[in-house]
Amino acid sequence: TGLTSLGSAGQAVKVNSGGNALEFGAVAGGKILATYQDTKTDPFTSNSSSLVDVTGFEITGITPASSSSKFLISVTFGAFQSSANNTRAFGTLIRTVGGSDTQLNVGNAAQGHEHTFGVCLRNNAGEHSQIPVTYQFLDSPNTASNVAYKVQVTKGSDSGYVTINTTYNATDERANVASAMQVLEISS
């Protein structure tokens, strides 16, 4: 039950409907239609107790090929933490369509904080810590309108600062690192 001819461009080898032979056919769904990336190499610091945009870290101008397209968002912070001892830092993945922001994949409000990810340093080395954070989410915005993705951060009600790509305290031991966000548009 081998193939005796070549398929054409854009086709894949599939099992036939009888389940007893291979054939060439169109690939249905799951194709990567477009890729987008943004990087952030400079440090970011915020002492806001409410969500604020991470400046210079946003992917804009995405025009979906179809309203049924899905988007795989990958965010990696080289360092994401709070500057103070025994404090927290929170991040929230945001989708923007038509000027309206939507928080994506946030926790429930059982503890009063609804965010996508968080770091909680329960030690006395907060100002020297550098913690990498990686997060992925498959989004289905169900729109053909322009889409943008960004991350917002907050320190919540804790003291200190949220710091990204560096430590809060400038020391010889710290590393200045980079962060990246990728968005893959996937056909459904």
Side-chain angles (χ1 to χ4, degrees):
T1 63
L3 297 171
T4 59
S5 65
L6 293 176
S8 59
Q11 289 188 318
V13 176
K14 302 171 25 172
V15 176
N16 70 5
S17 60
N20 57 8
L22 298 176
E23 66 184 11
F24 287 98
V27 178
K31 289 183 189 179
I32 296 175
L33 302 175
T35 60
Y36 305 87
Q37 177 170 279
D38 191 20
T39 58
K40 182 165 184 62
T41 58
D42 59 316
F44 175 85
T45 302
S46 171
N47 67 348
S48 177
S49 58
S50 58
L51 287 168
V52 295
D53 292 353
V54 176
T55 54
F57 197 55
E58 180 178 18
I59 296 178
T60 61
I62 299 172
T63 303
S66 163
S67 61
S68 63
S69 288
K70 297 182 182 310
F71 294 91
L72 179 62
I73 304 107
S74 301
V75 178
T76 300
F77 288 105
F80 179 88
Q81 67 278 330
S82 173
S83 66
N85 299 332
N86 300 306
T87 59
R88 303 162 295 174
F90 303 104
T92 303
L93 184 59
I94 304 290
R95 176 201 326 124
T96 305
V97 177
S100 296
D101 288 349
T102 302
Q103 295 180 348
L104 299 177
N105 201 39
V106 296
N108 67 28
Q111 298 300 315
H113 299 283
E114 298 173 323
H115 300 288
T116 307
F117 57 89
V119 172
C120 181
L121 294 175
R122 293 295 182 207
N123 63 46
N124 290 325
E127 63 188 24
H128 299 289
S129 298
Q130 289 189 270
I131 300 169
V133 171
T134 298
Y135 190 81
Q136 285 189 320
F137 181 69
L138 184 62
D139 185 32
S140 301
N142 299 314
T143 184
S145 299
N146 283 350
V147 178
Y149 293 98
K150 63 185 176 183
V151 176
Q152 294 181 335
V153 298
T154 180
K155 66 179 182 76
S157 59
D158 289 351
S159 62
Y161 294 80
V162 174
T163 60
I164 296 171
N165 288 350
T166 191
T167 61
Y168 179 70
N169 224 2
T171 67
D172 291 340
E173 293 86 27
R174 78 172 177 186
N176 292 319
V177 294
S179 299
M181 180 180 354
Q182 295 88 24
V183 176
L184 305 179
E185 182 177 2
I186 302 169
S187 64
S188 55

